[in-house]
Amino acid sequence: MSVLFAWQMAKKCFHCLAHFLKLRAMLDHSNKGELQRQLRLCARLSYLDRGMPIYYRHKLRWKCFTQWLRHIDDNVYQLVPMALTKTLPRKRMLFTAFSQLLLLGAEPDSAHCIFCRWLQYTQARIGRRALSHLLRRKYVLRLAHICFCALAGRADPEALALYKRNYAVRREAAALDTWRRKFLSPRLVSERRQRAHRSASSRRQLCARTPQLRVRLQSFRASVEQRLRHEAQLFFRWAAQALAAGGDAAT
């Protein structure tokens, strides 16, 4: 019995030692597996980080493409009149003829440049009248919508959404956007030169008026100093009279 008991106790002790070793090996394996999993996650995130500029570039292209398609679907083919899309390129060509000649190095005082400058002036007036007419019609539509909503007793965001979805309002907005994109932009070279010429002429006029301005400032300063001296004399007289009256009252 003693030998059998000893063997049983030895077997239990061996199993305990084996369980401890198995637990230690399992912990080492689990730590190693966790470390491998973290390394895989880091490698995946590093791959995504390296590809983020490519993803952003493709996303931006896709967004621009979808917005362009939506703009074409909403404005160009459905709302903008066909006559406007045909006449605006010619108006833009006439409007930019003077700037093109300046870029080619032509003399601004030549007959051709003067004629192209007159074309730019006339086209600018035509475009300004068209834009003012479109803005006036847009204001009239807005005012009519507000009046009808007030008569119907509606002043909620849904009424504003109905105004934005109105066909006439969208048509006027599309026409305005077409005039701005195809006629007004980009800025002309002649306009930049005219602005620079105006600023230079204003500086020359200011420099020419500088002596007169200096004389006027000196005269104004002299009048202010004279008024201050006169006020100081009056104050001194009033103070002297007050002191004299106080002395007489004390005596």
Side-chain angles (χ1 to χ4, degrees):
M1 292 293 294
S2 60
V3 177
L4 182 60
F5 180 73
W7 276 105
Q8 290 178 356
M9 292 300 296
K11 189 176 179 180
K12 288 181 180 180
C13 292
F14 180 76
H15 282 306
C16 290
L17 292 173
H19 179 70
F20 176 74
L21 292 174
K22 289 179 181 179
L23 181 61
R24 185 174 179 180
M26 184 179 65
L27 290 175
D28 293 340
H29 184 70
S30 64
N31 292 334
K32 185 178 180 180
E34 182 67 22
L35 183 60
Q36 290 178 353
R37 190 177 71 84
Q38 294 292 338
L39 289 175
R40 285 196 300 270
L41 288 175
C42 291
R44 184 63 179 174
L45 292 176
S46 178
Y47 171 76
L48 292 176
D49 185 67
R50 289 195 305 271
M52 191 56 65
I54 302 174
Y55 167 74
Y56 178 76
R57 186 165 61 251
H58 286 294
K59 180 182 177 182
L60 184 62
R61 289 178 180 177
W62 174 252
K63 188 174 182 180
C64 294
F65 180 69
T66 53
Q67 291 291 335
W68 177 67
L69 288 178
R70 188 177 298 111
H71 175 74
I72 288 177
D73 186 37
D74 291 341
N75 297 333
V76 177
Y77 290 116
Q78 295 184 5
L79 301 175
V80 179
M82 188 60 66
L84 185 61
T85 58
K86 290 181 178 179
T87 56
L88 273 183
R90 181 177 178 275
K91 292 181 181 297
R92 178 65 184 180
M93 182 183 65
L94 297 176
F95 185 61
T96 58
F98 181 58
S99 298
Q100 295 295 330
L101 290 177
L102 292 179
L103 288 175
L104 292 176
E107 291 294 333
D109 297 334
S110 62
H112 194 190
C113 286
I114 292 174
F115 178 72
C116 292
R117 189 173 180 180
W118 174 77
L119 286 177
Q120 177 182 344
Y121 171 73
T122 54
Q123 295 301 322
R125 292 198 62 179
I126 291 171
R128 192 177 298 112
R129 284 199 300 267
L131 288 173
S132 62
H133 177 68
L134 290 172
L135 289 174
R136 197 177 300 112
R137 289 192 59 180
K138 188 176 180 181
Y139 173 75
V140 169
L141 290 173
R142 176 73 174 175
L143 185 62
H145 178 76
I146 292 174
C147 294
F148 281 115
C149 288
L151 290 174
R154 296 184 60 183
D156 50 354
E158 185 178 356
L160 181 61
L162 290 174
Y163 168 75
K164 291 182 178 179
R165 290 197 299 267
N166 192 0
Y167 176 78
V169 176
R170 293 171 59 204
R171 183 183 58 193
E172 300 301 329
L176 275 172
D177 184 68
T178 306
W179 273 97
R180 289 168 182 167
R181 285 186 298 104
K182 295 187 177 182
F183 186 77
L184 295 179
S185 62
R187 294 293 183 181
L188 300 178
V189 179
S190 59
E191 292 181 355
R192 292 197 296 267
R193 292 193 180 184
Q194 288 175 3
R195 196 178 301 114
H197 179 70
R198 287 197 212 98
S199 62
S201 62
S202 63
R203 285 196 299 268
R204 286 195 299 269
Q205 292 177 3
L206 182 61
C207 292
R209 289 198 304 265
T210 300
Q212 300 177 1
L213 182 63
R214 189 181 297 113
V215 171
R216 290 179 182 178
L217 288 176
Q218 288 177 358
S219 62
F220 178 72
R221 182 177 179 180
S223 63
V224 171
E225 290 179 352
Q226 183 180 2
R227 187 181 63 186
L228 289 175
R229 287 195 298 269
H230 182 66
E231 289 178 356
Q233 292 176 2
L234 290 176
F235 180 75
F236 179 75
R237 290 176 184 176
W238 291 340
Q241 291 176 3
L243 289 174
D248 294 339
T251 56

